[in-house]
Amino acid sequence: MKNKGILIVVSGFSGAGKGTLMKKLVQEYDNYALSVSATTRAPRDGEEDGREYFFLSKEDFERKIEQNGLIEYACYCGNYYGTPRDYVEKQLDAGRDVILEIEIQGALKVRKQFPTSLLLFVMPPSVQELKRRLTGRGTETAEVIEKRMVRAAEEAEGIEEYDYIVVNDDLETCVRELHEIIVAAHNTPYRNEEFIEKIREELEVLSKGEK
């Protein structure tokens, strides 16, 4: 029987390495679809529209909000970020697991719309390593890095809302752990209610001596 895919929401502090993890996960295993978010922020060097993000104007983004074309959206560091609805629902119906890399506000909104979604929070091995990674990217000013560290402190208050945490120390180990968690999640009873009900109905028929 072909099950629907699971919607997997991955969050984490900026600099925790969640983007690298997700790309590696999709490369290593073939049942994942990485959802591309829409944003109003400017592209960084090397980023392409439709690959890392759909880069939209503020006006275009707000039009999508009005048309209910986003599963969730939020404003982060002065820019909109959101998840286009059509792509996600199409992939789930096809049986693929869809990964959303979004921040904590959006994750909790998704959980309300998709109760069987799986929420994962990626953490660095230490705060010192987090700051080192942010500084090492070389793409942001000291002021922006400071804002991201303040934001991380705020996000740390909501980690308990997630199903699992994954510490991103060694990339290969972390990717394997993520995959194992997702595989196990497919077998939880509340994600298999239709299958369980089908078995119950067949057992009831047999118990009555019917063929």
Side-chain angles (χ1 to χ4, degrees):
M1 124 178 149
K2 185 68 172 176
N3 291 326
K4 283 189 68 172
I6 294 177
L7 186 56
I8 303 151
V9 181
V10 179
S11 305
F13 308 134
S14 180
K18 55 189 180 297
T20 303
L21 275 174
M22 297 309 99
K23 288 174 184 174
K24 185 72 172 173
L25 186 69
V26 171
Q27 288 172 1
E28 293 285 331
Y29 305 98
D30 61 8
N31 193 52
Y32 297 114
L34 188 59
S35 178
V36 179
S37 296
T39 184
T40 58
R41 80 156 170 80
R44 294 177 183 146
D45 288 343
E47 290 184 333
E48 293 182 13
D49 183 56
R51 189 179 66 186
E52 283 80 13
Y53 287 94
F54 294 111
F55 295 100
L56 304 178
S57 67
K58 183 179 178 183
E59 292 75 20
D60 287 342
F61 196 101
E62 290 176 344
R63 191 174 299 114
K64 278 192 174 292
I65 294 173
E66 292 172 2
Q67 296 171 349
N68 196 31
L70 300 168
I71 290 174
E72 57 75 37
Y73 68 93
C75 191
Y76 177 64
C77 291
N79 288 297
Y80 279 126
Y81 292 82
T83 302
R85 181 181 298 278
D86 289 349
Y87 174 84
V88 170
E89 293 184 343
K90 182 179 179 181
Q91 294 296 322
L92 290 175
D93 288 341
R96 302 192 77 194
D97 294 331
V98 180
I99 302 169
L100 307 184
E101 183 195 329
I102 54 180
E103 45 66 59
I104 194 166
Q105 288 175 287
L108 299 182
K109 290 176 184 177
V110 169
R111 170 58 65 80
K112 287 181 180 179
Q113 291 192 59
F114 295 85
T116 60
S117 57
L118 176 66
L119 272 56
L120 307 174
F121 198 93
V122 178
M123 301 184 72
S126 68
V127 172
Q128 290 77 15
E129 175 62 14
L130 179 67
K131 191 163 187 178
R132 187 195 69 76
R133 291 177 186 177
L134 282 171
T135 305
R137 290 200 300 207
T139 59
E140 288 146 347
T141 64
E143 183 182 359
V144 171
I145 290 172
E146 185 61 30
K147 284 183 179 179
R148 294 194 184 279
M149 293 300 292
V150 170
R151 175 68 172 176
E154 295 170 354
E155 290 178 325
E157 297 300 318
I159 296 173
E160 291 84 356
E161 300 290 338
Y162 285 71
D163 297 307
Y164 293 91
I165 63 167
V166 182
V167 178
N168 183 18
D169 193 356
D170 176 76
L171 179 62
E172 296 293 336
T173 300
C174 195
V175 168
R176 186 172 65 251
E177 288 178 355
L178 278 171
H179 178 65
E180 290 171 353
I181 288 170
I182 295 164
V183 169
H186 270 277
N187 296 320
T188 56
Y190 72 91
R191 291 189 178 96
N192 292 275
E193 290 178 352
E194 289 184 11
F195 175 66
I196 292 169
E197 188 58 32
K198 178 176 179 289
I199 294 296
R200 283 175 174 157
E201 289 173 358
E202 291 176 358
L203 286 170
E204 186 176 354
V205 169
L206 284 175
S207 69
K208 292 177 179 178
E210 298 175 22
K211 293 183 181 178

